[in-house]
Amino acid sequence: MSVADLGLPVDVPSTALFTDHYELTMLQAALRAGTVGRRSVFEVFTRRLPDGRRYGVVGGTGRVLDAVENFRFDAGVLRFLRERRVVDEPTLEWLADYRFGGDIWGYPEGEVYFPGSPIMRVEGSFGECVLLETVILSILNHDSAIAAAASRMASAAGDRPLIEMGARRTHELAAVAAARAAYVGGFTSTSDLAAGFRYNIPTVGTSAHAFTLLHDSERDAFQAQVDSLGRDTTLLVDTYDVAEAVRTAVEIAGPELGSVRIDSGDLLLVAHRVRQQLDELGARDTRIIVTSDLDEYAIASLAAAPVDAYGVGTQLVTGSGHPTASMVYKLVARAETGDAGAPLVPVAKRSTGGKTSVGGRKWAARRLDAHGVAEAEVVGTGPVPDDLAGRQLLVELVKGGEVVAREPLDAARDRHTAARANLPLSATQLSRGEPVLPTEYVHGGSGS
């Protein structure tokens, strides 16, 4: 797969081993049983939202499309599987020619979802679909968790911009995915250069406490930074004494000083004091940026503070307490036989402990009230009711193995803003509560 094909500035390696051992042993057994080619429908959904959350956010769809395109068993991967005796030779021969040739439908990235929403539907032969389970869940569970946390933070921040700063708090590759998901959820920039390089997300950053400590005095540090980066730079003012640092910053940069950053202390109190001091010194246009282990609750508590932007790290990249969206990938329908035209029949797991699922190939639509506000997530099998035909949520992502819905990241970001605005006002409350929309099931027809 070439860089030009993906629209990315870096090559993407094979994703074929981003899977679990038992996906391949199931494939081997299905090959031997003659059922590997049966037409099958898998769906991604979650049975519940994280405790207290009112909506979920679909994140990672674009990365899933990249992963599916690059799911190839090259010579090195096949050699590894042969040496470890993971599967037998007939299975290795089948894998050598693997290319996903089925169809994928899903909620577009940035859309909101609820318990039971068929977030993604993967259709094709059993063999080609079952292999994608782990990589699809890995991406969607991580990115959706980050996007949901970012959305809550963006809602709490209002019109104030948010900077993603979590790269040093997570795995280096997860950091890039987290920055992407945060951008979808409403963040405006990232400190992570790899995310900027790969996904064209705006990057920002100036200096840390180490730069101040490097110099003989805070004044020397500020002077060096202004000389290098200009008066519009952001100076970190809480290394020693905040009031003295603000005074020194304005003396050096003048009223054109771009921003000051506060990274510790009682942010509400300090922000008010710093704003007053900046105004008295004539730096009325100098912005105040606060960081220091913020989450959506801390951001909301600063709504009345004279803060211009927030930098968020640890809480964002860990999903603000919920690092996974708990999505599952389940077979919901399969052909009665291996014949190409065999009808689909619904299948579902039956068990206790809240792990049941609903069989059948599903559609989803969002019903609106008389004011145009979403009032229910309707999930069904069979024909779509006429009144919901124009409100369907799933879009075609892959057709016959070819990606048909790749889009700029800004499109997903804009979609999320619109989707969240279409929810009832209670969706943005940070207090614990049930999903803001109920999920209603409409059953009709067969699995086809």
Side-chain angles (χ1 to χ4, degrees), residues 237-393:
V237 296
D238 72 328
T239 305
Y240 304 117
D241 179 85
V242 172
E244 181 60 30
V246 171
R247 185 177 303 107
T248 302
V250 176
E251 285 178 5
I252 291 172
E256 298 86 6
L257 174 63
S259 306
V260 295
R261 179 162 74 94
I262 306 166
D263 189 50
S264 59
D266 184 335
L267 296 179
L268 179 62
L269 176 62
V270 176
H272 276 287
R273 288 177 174 173
V274 168
R275 181 73 271 161
Q276 180 179 354
Q277 186 180 11
L278 287 169
D279 292 347
E280 290 172 351
L281 293 170
R284 295 184 176 276
D285 294 329
T286 299
R287 301 175 297 274
I288 297 175
I289 300 171
V290 296
T291 52
S292 187
D293 208 25
L294 300 175
D295 61 10
E296 60 265 48
Y297 302 103
I299 292 169
S301 73
L302 292 168
V307 171
D308 298 286
Y310 306 94
V312 189
T314 303
Q315 293 302 316
L316 175 66
V317 299
T318 56
S320 195
H322 298 287
T324 178
S326 298
M327 295 177 186
V328 295
Y329 182 97
K330 296 297 181 183
L331 182 66
V332 296
R334 50 91 175 164
E336 288 183 337
T337 68
D339 295 339
L344 289 173
V345 294
V347 295
K349 177 180 178 179
R350 297 178 182 175
S351 65
T352 58
K355 284 196 171 184
T356 58
S357 57
V358 178
R361 182 180 185 272
K362 300 175 195 67
W363 50 264
R366 191 159 297 149
R367 191 172 68 237
L368 308 181
D369 65 15
H371 303 287
V373 177
E375 67 175 6
E377 192 89 337
V378 185
V379 177
T381 58
V384 181
D386 291 341
D387 62 321
L388 294 175
R391 301 296 307 170
Q392 293 190 70
L393 293 164

Side-chain angles (χ1 to χ4, degrees), residues 135 138 144 153 194 199 261 292 362 412 427:
V135 69
S138 176
S144 296
M153 293 173 187
Y199 297 116
R261 179 162 74 94
S292 187
K362 300 175 195 67

Side-chain angles (χ1 to χ4, degrees), residues 397-434:
L397 302 172
V398 176
K399 183 176 183 178
E402 298 294 325
V403 173
V404 296
R406 186 168 279 113
E407 62 182 4
L409 196 57
D410 279 323
R413 174 186 169 84
D414 292 343
R415 181 181 296 115
H416 176 63
T417 300
R420 189 176 63 198
N422 192 237
L423 295 176
L425 286 175
S426 58
T428 59
Q429 292 179 337
L430 296 180
S431 57
R432 301 172 72 85
E434 296 299 314

